Amino acid sequence: NTVDSSEFYPDSSNRKASYFLAVGANWPHKNIDSFLTHHQTWRDSAELIIVCGKTGYYDKLRTIVESNNLNEKVKFLHDISFNELKILYANASALIYPSIDEGFGIPPIEAMASGTPAIVSELPVFREVLGDSAIYVDPQNSSSWEQALLTLSTKREKYVELGLKRAQHYSLNNMVNSVKRAFEHKLRKE
């Protein structure tokens, strides 16, 4: 799993957008419905853009948006180009990624490479992959969302800086060297 940081637009000095971004919300385990359910924590201060496919989970998200009168606050985007995604990352206030199950999680690394903080669920894989560069949340707890958004507003620059550094860790060169070291270690043991 690698991310080429040079592909992204990390200069956040002139950000004008006031939206949160959710990427890859195609399946229920991505759990973006938890952020929608706790809309009282963010609806007065920002909008939400959800990038997803037109799946059954998308239908569920649309229902939640409509039943909570969030039509003016939530926008769904489908089939966007990588360049459009990079622009969305670069202008977002934060990536919202409250997965309940994850193998790695490329979108938080891409967001960080864009100078955008990531708010992620408290999963062991995220602790391993993202370390202290992400803001962690219990996605089922409204107080946890409030605390995460408060942390974002008061310590945003800290998480931008930590995220940019962490994204560099997942460069192709670093991953090649890591795999090479693992093979060399295995060969020495045999």
Side-chain angles (χ1 to χ4, degrees):
N1 292 313
T2 66
V3 171
D4 182 355
S5 292
S6 70
E7 286 279 323
F8 295 90
Y9 313 124
D11 181 13
S12 63
S13 60
N14 60 359
R15 287 182 198 254
K16 296 182 179 113
S18 178
Y19 63 84
F20 296 115
L21 180 64
V23 174
N26 299 327
W27 305 279
H29 75 275
K30 296 300 184 177
N31 196 34
I32 196 62
D33 56 288
S34 67
F35 193 60
L36 292 172
T37 300
H38 296 285
H39 60 84
Q40 73 281 2
T41 63
W42 58 268
R43 77 177 292 159
D44 292 335
S45 61
E47 295 179 354
L48 172 64
I49 296 176
I50 301 174
V51 178
C52 65
K54 292 183 178 178
T55 63
Y57 186 57
Y58 158 71
D59 294 335
K60 176 183 177 177
L61 296 177
R62 288 274 340 143
T63 300
I64 294 169
V65 166
E66 291 168 9
S67 67
N68 287 286
N69 297 316
L70 296 170
N71 293 319
E72 299 296 317
K73 301 300 283 183
V74 178
K75 181 178 181 179
F76 291 93
L77 298 177
H78 313 285
D79 302 318
I80 65 171
S81 70
F82 186 51
N83 193 55
E84 290 170 308
L85 179 61
K86 292 187 297 186
I87 292 167
L88 287 169
Y89 276 134
N91 289 303
S93 298
L95 175 75
I96 305 298
Y97 208 71
S99 295
I100 56 173
D101 184 37
E102 200 65 54
F104 183 84
I106 292 288
I109 301 294
E110 291 177 336
M112 290 175 178
S114 303
T116 298
I119 299 175
V120 302
S121 51
E122 183 70 57
L123 291 178
V125 69
F126 287 149
R127 285 287 181 186
E128 180 182 344
V129 172
L130 305 173
D132 63 356
S133 63
I135 299 168
Y136 292 91
V137 66
D138 171 355
Q140 304 311 320
N141 183 304
S142 191
S143 296
S144 186
W145 278 115
E146 289 171 4
Q147 184 59 49
L149 296 174
L150 178 63
T151 299
L152 175 67
S153 69
T154 59
K155 298 180 180 178
R156 185 176 199 292
E157 289 309 311
K158 170 188 170 183
Y159 285 99
V160 167
E161 184 179 320
L162 289 170
L164 288 168
K165 287 178 186 173
R166 192 62 171 196
Q168 293 296 321
H169 180 74
Y170 293 100
S171 71
L172 179 59
N173 190 45
N174 281 351
M175 290 300 105
V176 166
N177 288 334
S178 180
V179 169
K180 183 179 173 183
R181 283 190 305 273
F183 278 123
E184 289 170 350
H185 179 74
K186 174 85 171 143
L187 289 173
R188 280 190 297 254
K189 283 186 152 189
E190 293 177 353

